[in-house]
Amino acid sequence: MTPVLILAVPVVLVLGVLLWRRPQRGLLAIAALTPFHGLLAIVPGGESLSPWKEGLLLLTLAATFVSPYRRRLPAPSYPWWPAVVAWVAIGVLSALLVSGLAGIIAIKITYFYLVIPVILWRAPFDARDRDHLVTILMGTTAVTAVIGLAQQVIGGERLAELGYRWDEHLRISGGILRSFSTFTTPFAFGLFVMIGLIVGCSVSFADPHRLRNRLFLCATPIMVLGMGVTIVRASYIGLAVALLWLAVHRYRTLLLGFGATAALAPLVLFAVPSSILAPLFSSSSLGERGDGWSQTLSSLWVHPFGQGLGATGSAAADTVAQSNPMLSELSYTAAVQFGFMPYQPDNYYMKLAVELGPIGVWLFVLVLVCAAVSTLRASRVLSGQDAALALGVSGTIVAAAVASTVATYLEIFPLDVYFWLLLGTVGCALTQHWSPHRSSLTASDSAPSHSVRPAVESRPTSASC
């Protein structure tokens, strides 16, 4: 530990200086590094480095109080904040009433990354920051997709030799290794690529002549294949729904793609081996989920206001794991099957129903609705890349709402990071668009937005409002 501490001191000092000059760098670093956080699983002593992300965010937040750059741009617009505050308030109250100080673990897991919108409120992204964020998302999506495909060639046995564990990182479905790339699970990998494809496609369609966007569009088949080998159906459905959302609200030509896909689907299904299709259309996992969901709904008669934040999900699993170190010898799946771990609903709405009751579910749905509507409206107010980014973000929220029916979406890292980061970024663009000081944002503060005039056929119409 001593060498690590010796190396950490100068790193923290240099990072502190960089963040003092521009706190926004901290959020861009988080965006660039979090997709590779899962590599710590095979790094000796990697678990001790796991809190780096929380430390970096807290250091970035502290920098917003001392940085000379923090007040140069107007505070972002967050129309969804009342719903978020109500959701957080009921969750924090339930955690403290049911678990006391132990409820802090559940509060941290559920709400910690809300610090990101707070950082953006104190040190908003300018146009250059937003452009860098899109570039980072595009690049990390492509890189992780290539690594995910490479895992199919490497194979599970060789990956296990590197330090990955079966049933925790390595999973087989229908004889196919489920790629997880630089993440810890296929779910995080598949849903992250989903986010990158939605935002990247929205921005690239708006300006296909820019080199970065052309490269992204050319790499799209690789990213789709990378997402495909995760065998995460939530990512497939979420991507399809989000692309339909983009088609309805702006990019009408995507509807032709949906038509072509529907026409070719029977041929593809006929040509693909049944060993690959079987895990995709298997109903066994859905049946298991359905049994658990029915039990959850029945429990609401006994606990109409929920059992308290942290009664299930990652917080409950962490609490049990800390109280019983022997569980480290079991895989996560085995621990749940043998009853050592609490019930994991694989549905964020059901998770909230168990913890916070119908009121908590309603507040979360209200957060999603407010976020989706506000970003969609922002896409109609803004222009150029900011408009395309806002539309893409609204698509990711719709996709998250769909994926949350079969995954505890906001408990899967780094999906929670990108959810709040992208949402806050749109708020920054909106207030800077309306700011009376907009003309004073010179090249030193913001980069060209690479905007283009939307095509006539892709402008929003009254029918889509």
Side-chain angles (χ1 to χ4, degrees):
M1 291 299 295
T2 303
V4 174
L5 291 176
I6 293 175
L7 292 174
V9 171
V11 170
V12 171
L13 290 176
V14 172
L15 186 60
V17 172
L18 293 174
L19 294 180
W20 176 79
R21 297 190 63 175
R22 292 205 78 239
Q24 294 87 343
R25 290 169 175 162
L27 293 180
L28 292 176
I30 285 288
L33 296 176
T34 49
F36 304 98
H37 174 76
L39 294 175
L40 292 178
I42 57 175
V43 173
E47 289 186 3
S48 63
L49 300 176
S50 183
W52 70 268
K53 52 196 183 299
E54 291 88 352
L56 178 54
L57 281 176
L58 293 177
L59 186 60
T60 303
L61 178 63
T64 64
F65 288 90
V66 296
S67 171
Y69 187 84
R70 65 190 187 277
R71 298 188 185 279
R72 297 179 66 179
L73 294 172
S77 172
Y78 294 158
W80 37 264
W81 76 263
V84 171
V85 169
W87 178 44
V88 172
I90 190 174
V92 170
L93 183 62
S94 72
L96 296 179
L97 288 177
V98 173
S99 305
L101 292 179
I104 293 176
I105 297 176
I107 295 171
K108 182 262 180 185
I109 290 176
T110 308
Y111 301 125
F112 178 79
Y113 292 107
L114 277 166
V115 72
I116 292 175
V118 176
I119 292 172
L120 287 172
W121 180 66
R122 295 195 56 82
F125 273 176
D126 60 22
R128 179 183 287 120
D129 295 319
R130 297 191 293 274
D131 189 62
H132 287 168
L133 176 61
V134 172
T135 302
I136 288 170
L137 182 56
M138 287 181 173
T140 52
T141 302
V143 170
T144 55
V146 170
I147 295 175
L149 291 174
Q151 288 177 337
Q152 295 293 317
V153 179
I154 295 172
E157 296 300 329
R158 294 177 64 183
L159 290 171
E161 293 175 0
L162 293 176
Y164 292 113
R165 297 178 58 182
W166 287 101
D167 292 331
E168 182 176 347
H169 310 108
L170 301 168
R171 303 164 190 247
I172 299 292
S173 181
I176 302 173
L177 174 68
R178 302 180 67 178
S179 292
F180 55 93
S181 187
T182 56
F183 301 81
T184 55
T185 66
F187 310 101
F189 174 36
L191 291 168
F192 174 77
V193 175
M194 177 194 75
I195 293 173
L197 283 170
I198 295 168
V199 174
C201 286
S202 181
V203 173
S204 298
F205 292 156
D207 186 6
H209 303 291
R210 184 177 176 184
L211 177 60
R212 180 199 67 183
N213 298 345
R214 288 205 305 270
L215 292 175
F216 180 85
L217 291 175
C218 290
T220 297
I222 296 175
M223 290 178 277
V224 172
L225 285 175
M227 186 181 73
V229 293
T230 63
I231 319 297
V232 176
R233 287 171 287 188
S235 64
Y236 310 157
I237 299 171
L239 178 62
V241 171
L243 291 180
L244 182 60
W245 179 269
L246 300 184
V248 169
H249 291 289
R250 179 161 299 178
Y251 304 113
R252 303 285 192 256
T253 52
L254 282 175
L255 295 175
L256 297 177
F258 277 96
T261 301
L264 294 175
L267 297 177
V268 173
L269 293 177
F270 180 78
V272 174
S274 58
S275 60
I276 296 178
L277 294 178
L280 294 179
F281 294 98
S282 173
S283 60
S284 59
S285 61
L286 184 59
E288 294 174 359
R289 287 189 176 106
D291 293 339
W293 297 345
S294 62
Q295 294 175 11
T296 298
L297 295 175
S298 300
S299 71
L300 295 180
W301 293 102
V302 182
H303 303 282
F305 297 102
Q307 302 174 38
L309 194 71
T312 186
S314 298
D318 285 355
T319 302
V320 173
Q322 291 176 11
S323 62
N324 188 356
M326 295 298 293
L327 291 178
S328 61
E329 302 299 324
L330 290 175
S331 70
Y332 181 78
T333 303
V336 173
Q337 289 178 346
F338 287 117
F340 295 116
M341 284 288 186
Y343 167 62
Q344 306 297 311
D346 287 330
N347 180 314
Y348 203 70
Y349 303 106
M350 289 296 171
K351 172 191 176 297
L352 291 177
V354 171
E355 296 181 339
L356 304 179
I359 295 177
V361 176
W362 176 77
L363 288 174
F364 176 65
V365 171
L366 186 61
V367 170
L368 293 177
V369 171
C370 292
V373 171
S374 64
T375 50
L376 179 60
R377 288 181 175 176
S379 72
R380 296 171 177 173
V381 171
L382 299 171
S383 61
Q385 178 173 285
D386 283 336
L389 174 61
L391 182 62
V393 173
S394 70
T396 65
I397 295 167
V398 173
V402 174
S404 292
T405 60
V406 288
T408 50
Y409 189 88
L410 288 185
E411 282 196 345
I412 302 176
F413 181 84
L415 308 182
D416 44 1
V417 171
Y418 268 92
F419 183 90
W420 299 115
L421 179 58
L422 291 172
L423 196 53
T425 300
V426 173
C428 296
L430 192 59
T431 52
Q432 289 164 35
H433 174 82
W434 290 114
S435 173
H437 305 292
R438 193 175 161 204
S439 60
S440 66
L441 299 178
T442 62
S444 63
D445 295 329
S446 60
S449 61
H450 301 278
S451 61
V452 295
R453 185 181 298 276
V456 173
E457 67 272 15
S458 62
R459 289 176 181 169
T461 64
S462 58
S464 63
C465 295

